[in-house]
Amino acid sequence: MPNNVVTLHEKPAVSFDLAKIRADFPILSRQVHGKPLVYLDNGASAQKPKQVLDAISKAYTETYANVHRGVHFLSDASTVAFEKARETCRRFVNAQKIEEIIFTKGGTEGINLVAASFGSTLAEGDEILITEMEHHSNIVPWHFLRERQGVVLRWTPITNDGGFDLAAFSKLLNSKTKFVAVTHMSNVLGTITPLNEIIRLAHEVGAKVLVDGCQGSVHLPVNVQALDCDFYVTTGHKLYGPSGIGFLYGKYDFLETLRPYHGGGEMIETVTKDKVSYAPPPHRFEAGTPPIVRAIGLGAGLDYMTSLDRAAVTAHESALLAHATEELENIDRVKIFGRAPEKGSLVTFAIEGIHPHDISMLLDRSGIAVRAGTHCAQPLMERLGVTASTRASFALYNTHAEVDALVSSIRTVVEFFG
Ligand SMILES: Cc1ncc(COP(=O)(O)O)c(C=O)c1O
């Protein structure tokens, strides 16, 4: 079985202690509008366990100083903690070298970095192949190259069930395709893309591949060496870490050939009045004081995730998805978008005649947080023939009772609008 496949009907392993996990997340015990919080907006951002909150507090109270440049105790301690977080990120995606991990502000910055650095090597007429199911973060930076450099943007369609159309993709690849940028898991359809085949086919025509792992890395183990992708991007706030931090993986030999993204301190080797030389990766791509404590918090989030039985977590999240799907499709006027056989734990839907913003507002009154809108995926909304939709996205701490609360509130919404 490919390493990125989720089976929907696996049963959670006994080692998965949901009550203990929920107790790790202080916010989950709060009330909203006088009702217990049911947080189903994890695809937008996940809540933080106390292990992450403690790591952030400890970094500020015990080891905080700027990194890399100081010759004093705290700077040393801070540098050690910061670089330890980089090593945790390396392990999380199984990169070969720690130098292949570049800290960024998040998924968006990782993709913009690649578009600016690698993109500067592209010429008019070169082609970039993306897909109809990308988040704007993995569309707009490539549009910049279309607007500014005459690069041609091509779109792999989705299949009618919201899957990745591998046959169409392989037809679109040609000798002009210099780059493929593809999501690991759609933030709207939940579709998990066949990365092994995509990357192999792209490499056959000499194209480099970036994987947007902002959703995929939350739910699936990532092995960049096995995938053989050239870049893998992810973001901390969905991985139970802080917002404003993420990382970009890039193959070292390739990173070494790329221009820097931002200029400033830390990323240079020498600067004179008439020339500048650059530090090797990853520092070449990390100008200025980095997000030190956020990186430490991200490391703690990843440590938290890997301290759990990830197969059991995947099975639990898949069971939540199966439960939600089964219940929602039994409600009249509800239409679910995204029925690909390999799907991560989110469900996006429309209710005929009811605007998604009204749905989410009414659910909010019951303490249920979902997301309504275009989900930063306007080309996909256009393909689906809707202006907006509602999304419930599940995390490792959600329960079947919370899915039941969602379903029951949706039934009430449908009755309310008649
Ligand atoms: C698939 C996908 N890509 C990229 C992003 C952007 O991540 P960030 O907002 O952390 O920059 C998101 C966030 O919603 C996402 O879901």
Side-chain angles (χ1 to χ4, degrees), residues 231-251:
F231 298 106
Y232 191 97
V233 166
T234 190
T235 189
H237 65 98
K238 298 183 206 281
L239 292 163
Y240 308 98
S243 55
I245 181 77
F247 68 90
L248 163 70
Y249 156 82
K251 282 182 184 163

Side-chain angles (χ1 to χ4, degrees), residues 83-94:
E83 290 300 331
K84 185 168 165 250
R86 196 191 302 277
E87 168 58 19
T88 304
C89 296
R90 184 204 65 76
R91 241 183 296 117
F92 189 72
V93 295
N94 194 36

Side-chain angles (χ1 to χ4, degrees), residues 43-44 105-109 111 135 137-138 183 185-187 212-215 235-238 245 391:
K105 268 195 321 204
T108 304
E109 192 184 39
I111 299 170
H135 186 283
S137 298
N138 201 20
T183 191
M185 170 182 153
S186 161
N187 66 313
D212 173 357
C214 290
Q215 298 288 337
T235 189
H237 65 98
K238 298 183 206 281
I245 181 77
R391 178 185 73 188

Side-chain angles (χ1 to χ4, degrees), residues 301-336:
L302 301 184
D303 280 341
Y304 183 79
M305 288 178 75
T306 51
S307 73
L308 302 171
D309 176 343
R310 286 203 79 192
V313 169
T314 302
H316 170 66
E317 292 175 344
S318 299
L320 292 173
L321 172 66
H323 181 43
T325 305
E326 204 175 305
E327 293 292 327
L328 288 176
E329 64 192 359
N330 282 331
I331 304 177
D332 268 358
R333 294 158 58 195
V334 170
K335 180 177 179 197
I336 294 174

Side-chain angles (χ1 to χ4, degrees), residues 31-48:
Q31 302 234 319
V32 170
H33 306 312
K35 309 268 169 48
L37 169 69
V38 175
Y39 188 75
L40 302 178
D41 194 18
N42 300 286
S45 206
Q47 300 299 345
K48 319 304 170 200

